Amino acid sequence: MTATASTTAPDPVRPSVPPGVRVGPLVALLVGSAFVVILNETIMGVALPELMREFDVPASSAQWLTTAFLLTMAVVIPVTGWLLRRFTLRQVFLAAMVSFSIGTAVAGMAPTFAVLVLARVVQAVGTALMMPLLMTTILTVVAPERRGRMMGTISIVISVAPAVGPTISGLVLDQLSWRWMFWLVLPIALLSLGLGALWVRNIGEPVRSSLDVASVVLSALAFGGLVYGLSSIGESASGHSPVPPWLPLVVGATALAGFVVRQLRLQDRALLDLRTFASRTFSVAALLIAVSMMALFGTLILLPIYLQSVLGLSTLETGLVLLPGGLVMGLLAPVVGRLFDRVGPRPLIAPGAAVTSAALWLMTSFDQTTAQGPVVAVHVLLSVGLALMFTPLLTSALGSLPPQLYSHGSATVSTLQQVAGAAGTALFVTVLTRQQVSGQEAGASLVQATADGVHTAFTYGGVISAVAVLVALAVRHQRTDA
């Protein structure tokens, strides 16, 4: 790949790449590093039963390995807009990979459950920094007419990494202990860190600006409260939540209102500049990204439960059933990116929303007698629909912003993904759990009650996805180079 920018008279819209910066290796390194760190967001789910036995902790405690990761992401990501302006690309990348590598090493050696949770928090700090860093860098160094292709690559990271996490953990756990999920990742993380020290150069000059502490506190309470509250709804439905979910949700919603008011008042000094939502294209795309992430994460949590608890598959078999969908999404992402560069977002997003909705409605037919083949086929169909949506939505949302808002737009989209992912997980798990409880109280077996819960949860998902189809029709093409 070659830089398309002029290095003598940079245009405010066209990318300006400093001399000595090799765009191809830089982007490849950032994409590979982001894939590795984001993979860890969902890799622990399949390992929870083994960890519960080894550390002698209940399910409500074991869930903190995922909840703590999501909470940390939700707290750190909103700050990345300021970090990416205040510090250089090289500084932020090295900080992200050092944090992730330390967390991975500590997790692999963790002698107690508490240490393992702490290690996951340190990992999550690196993960939270990496995704906005990748998106902002792509927007800065890649010409607008090639952004669809590059955002297709980013879509692999955002959608495929979480999707294949359960598959990889299932394969590892079938032969090795859970600690190998970290030992196998650590050399890759250290390689990325070493290559980053050699290849990553600064792009643009950091801007000295003060950090608004009040905004940081409000942000942490807002997004942390919302993610924790949403994550604990499912536990509450089964009677295991240590805190009533409404409490963190109320705190989070109240803090969010205060955060929004303060950001609008601060304008150029805002921690997260909300003027990104002045772009209609950004607002519509952000809404659809949120709905897509709800569908993706809700399905990622529900399908393994269905496959293991209803169909009786092992963790390895479950991972293999989910693998084709993840591979299809990864293969389609670059293709969709190239199509976006030719035809724009609407011809891709509207059909993608329709296919996603159709797949979720088909999943409502899953029961105790469903064979593995139809499950694989419908999951692949869902992956096709999401692949058609992710790349155009990301490119449209961020490409509609002026360059000075790239870092804020990246941080906003990444924050929305975390909150929406938690919301999707909470919705699907809560509906499933409540249906299980009511079904067993009515005399149904656990397997039948779980199958009924899966049906009801996917029905909710189908309704939400139908709304997304209507919203997709409002997508318009807006480019900053127009």
Side-chain angles (χ1 to χ4, degrees):
M1 182 185 301
T2 58
T4 58
S6 168
T7 56
T8 56
D11 185 279
V13 171
R14 310 297 295 183
S16 180
V17 183
V21 174
R22 300 171 61 195
V23 175
L26 173 63
V27 171
L29 175 63
L30 293 179
V31 169
S33 301
F35 186 91
V36 171
V37 300
I38 293 178
L39 179 71
N40 279 264
E41 193 167 353
T42 57
I43 203 170
M44 295 301 293
V46 178
L48 291 184
E50 183 174 334
L51 292 166
M52 289 164 60
R53 289 191 298 270
E54 178 165 336
F55 291 111
D56 192 24
V57 294
S60 56
S61 297
Q63 189 59 39
W64 271 99
L65 290 170
T66 298
T67 302
F69 197 97
L70 292 174
L71 274 173
T72 305
M73 295 269 287
V75 170
V76 175
I77 286 175
V79 186
T80 58
W82 176 81
L83 289 173
L84 291 172
R85 294 195 324 278
R86 178 63 182 82
F87 299 97
T88 65
L89 168 67
R90 180 182 174 85
Q91 288 173 326
V92 177
F93 175 83
L94 293 179
M97 292 311 300
V98 166
S99 176
F100 181 80
S101 299
I102 291 174
T104 302
V106 173
M109 298 182 293
T112 66
F113 182 75
V115 172
L116 182 57
V117 172
L118 178 62
R120 290 284 287 168
V121 169
V122 177
Q123 269 192 319
V125 171
T127 304
L129 292 174
M130 185 57 67
M131 200 62 235
L133 173 67
L134 172 60
M135 288 192 284
T136 302
T137 303
I138 292 293
L139 290 168
T140 303
V141 303
V142 176
E145 66 270 13
R146 301 188 67 186
R147 284 179 187 159
R149 194 174 311 175
M150 295 310 303
M151 283 294 179
T153 305
I154 291 182
S155 294
I156 299 176
V157 174
I158 293 176
S159 56
V160 178
V164 301
T167 300
I168 292 176
S169 58
L171 292 170
V172 172
L173 291 171
D174 187 61
Q175 299 294 329
L176 303 167
S177 80
W178 61 268
R179 295 182 186 275
W180 282 95
M181 291 192 298
F182 299 106
W183 293 131
L184 292 174
V185 167
L186 183 59
I188 303 174
L190 292 175
L191 176 62
S192 295
L193 178 60
L195 292 176
L198 295 174
W199 290 353
V200 176
R201 296 292 179 265
N202 297 329
I203 297 173
E205 294 296 326
V207 177
R208 290 194 173 276
S209 59
S210 59
L211 180 64
D212 184 57
V213 177
S215 293
V216 175
V217 173
L218 286 170
S219 169
L221 290 173
F223 299 111
L226 291 174
V227 169
Y228 177 70
L230 290 167
S231 299
S232 63
I233 288 177
E235 293 177 89
S236 176
S238 59
H240 298 299
S241 178
V243 177
W246 64 265
L247 183 58
L249 287 174
V250 168
V251 171
T254 304
L256 180 61
F259 178 76
V260 170
V261 170
R262 186 163 184 83
Q263 301 319 292
L264 293 175
R265 185 179 300 164
L266 289 174
Q267 293 287 317
D268 292 330
R269 296 182 295 113
L271 178 69
L272 199 62
D273 198 328
L274 300 182
R275 286 177 293 180
T276 52
F277 288 99
S279 165
R280 178 183 179 277
T281 300
F282 181 88
S283 299
V284 172
L287 175 60
L288 284 171
I289 288 172
V291 173
S292 301
M293 294 306 291
M294 286 181 67
L296 175 62
F297 276 82
T299 303
L300 284 178
I301 196 71
L302 203 62
L303 275 182
I305 294 174
Y306 167 72
L307 291 169
Q308 294 178 53
S309 300
V310 178
L311 298 188
L313 302 187
S314 67
T315 55
L316 176 60
E317 290 170 327
T318 298
L320 293 176
V321 167
L322 298 177
L323 181 59
L327 292 177
V328 166
M329 200 179 296
L331 292 172
L332 279 180
V335 177
V336 173
R338 287 193 290 271
L339 287 174
F340 173 87
D341 289 334
R342 296 178 185 174
V343 302
R346 192 173 183 181
L348 299 169
I349 293 173
V355 171
T356 299
S357 183
L360 286 169
W361 283 110
L362 286 172
M363 286 182 180
T364 62
S365 66
F366 290 173
D367 57 24
Q368 294 171 260
T369 63
T370 304
Q372 293 181 34
V375 176
V376 173
V378 176
H379 183 236
V380 167
L381 184 66
L382 176 70
S383 300
V384 170
L386 291 173
L388 288 172
M389 295 178 69
F390 275 130
T391 297
L393 286 173
L394 280 172
T395 312
S396 298
L398 300 176
S400 68
L401 302 175
Q404 65 269 23
L405 291 180
Y406 284 165
S407 61
H408 289 287
S410 301
T412 300
V413 168
S414 297
T415 302
L416 278 175
Q417 289 170 359
Q418 296 308 308
V419 176
T425 300
L427 172 67
F428 281 48
V429 170
T430 301
V431 173
L432 168 67
T433 304
R434 288 181 174 170
Q435 186 68 40
Q436 279 180 323
V437 172
S438 61
Q440 287 185 282
E441 289 176 349
S445 66
L446 177 59
V447 173
Q448 181 60 53
T450 302
D452 292 341
V454 168
H455 167 80
T456 306
F458 278 129
T459 300
Y460 276 73
V463 171
I464 294 174
S465 68
V467 175
V469 174
L470 298 177
V471 176
L473 299 177
V475 171
R476 296 289 184 273
H477 195 21
Q478 178 183 335
R479 297 180 67 163
T480 53
D481 60 335

